[in-house]
Amino acid sequence: MLKLAAVDIGSNAVRMQVSRVIDREGSYFLKKMEYVRFPLRLGHDVFTENRIGQENAGKFLKLMEAFKILMDLYEVDDCMALATSAMREAENGLEITKEVKEKLGLDIRIIDGDEEADLINRGLQSFLTDKTYLHIDVGGGSTELNLYIRKEKVASRSFPIGSVRSLEKHDDPAVWVEMKDWVLHHLKRRHSKVVSIGTGGNINKLSDLAGKKPGKTIGIEKLEEVQQYIGQFSLEDRINILELNPDRADVILPASDIYLSVMRWADSGRILVPEVGLKDGMLQTMIDRNLGEK
């Protein structure tokens, strides 16, 4: 029984999922055994000081040690640990990953926005049809946009705009203009309606607050309504009444601004929320390298 672990080191949180692979007549499925999400906001340090501070670096090492212990307890056969926006922008990012390797034997690879988008794409494939889709993946430090036509990705771009970066006013207005221009350029000649696909923890929560199940679409008017509803609450009430995690409560509105802005530029009236992400692509990659591509 093959057991896999995926570690996603983002700007707002760090996640680990341990799954076992089920073989059903040559088709492979994943059964989740463990999922841990820890709100370590590496992006706060990086987008302010260009490096991960000593306190967060210490917490990160402890967290990786905890993850490594869980992997050992579950007797994981293969693992994949990837770091995205915050770690790749941190001037001491490589130094920290080297320390983790030396002390724990855990390899962490820092990836660029293109590879991040490609891995998320692996988790999206089963949701695509012959329609035109604009995939919007909003993280803490970056937003990846991918255009799909008849299930094929025809354009892709990563922008340094994200929920944590926007919350802390470290987003560059010029990058917003650049992102809008990219959307308009790639969609101006499209005659078919564009369906957006949203990935990331914030759109998953927005979908949940809209009363939608995973894999369903939300109309842009409903998404605007949910955004306005959340905005009526103070930060404290979002935590206590809406029961949002503290590290979700403060970034959910900046994140919703990004999703809604891109949808408006694309003249996209609906957004599909499949609740897949980087970890799903990582797990599929490990299945392929251990069991061969199917």
Side-chain angles (χ1 to χ4, degrees), residues 262-280:
V262 175
M263 289 177 72
R264 290 172 188 137
W265 299 334
D267 193 24
S268 175
R270 304 194 66 79
I271 186 166
L272 172 68
V273 185
E275 291 198 8
V276 300
L278 181 61
K279 62 179 175 55
D280 300 279

Side-chain angles (χ1 to χ4, degrees), residues 168-228:
E168 301 187 353
K169 309 300 182 186
H170 295 300
D171 51 336
D172 185 345
V175 178
W176 280 90
V177 174
E178 191 177 348
M179 185 161 70
K180 179 179 180 179
D181 289 345
W182 187 93
V183 173
L184 295 177
H185 171 74
H186 286 284
L187 293 175
K188 65 183 179 182
R189 293 189 177 90
R190 303 297 169 196
H191 300 292
S192 58
K193 280 291 184 180
V194 177
V195 177
S196 296
I197 302 180
T199 54
N202 287 294
I203 194 65
N204 293 345
K205 180 53 67 175
L206 288 162
S207 176
D208 182 53
L209 290 170
K212 301 290 184 177
K213 294 181 179 179
K216 300 298 182 180
T217 62
I218 311 173
I220 191 169
E221 296 86 359
K222 182 64 176 179
L223 190 57
E224 290 169 339
E225 180 184 312
V226 173
Q227 184 193 50
Q228 291 166 8

Side-chain angles (χ1 to χ4, degrees), residues 33-80:
M33 302 174 69
E34 184 71 72
Y35 178 75
V36 180
R37 177 186 184 277
F38 188 82
L40 185 62
R41 187 167 285 178
L42 299 176
H44 171 74
D45 291 354
V46 177
F47 306 144
T48 304
E49 304 293 337
N50 296 318
R51 61 182 291 111
I52 295 169
Q54 186 175 354
E55 181 179 355
N56 271 344
K59 287 182 178 180
F60 180 73
L61 183 61
K62 288 181 180 179
L63 183 59
M64 291 302 101
E65 184 176 10
F67 282 1
K68 185 65 165 58
I69 290 170
L70 278 173
M71 289 183 210
D72 291 343
L73 289 171
Y74 278 109
E75 299 180 333
V76 164
D77 299 294
D78 194 5
C79 71
M80 195 171 184

Side-chain angles (χ1 to χ4, degrees), residues 25-37:
E25 299 179 350
S27 295
Y28 301 120
F29 301 88
L30 290 165
K31 172 66 176 177
K32 187 190 300 181
M33 302 174 69
E34 184 71 72
Y35 178 75
V36 180
R37 177 186 184 277

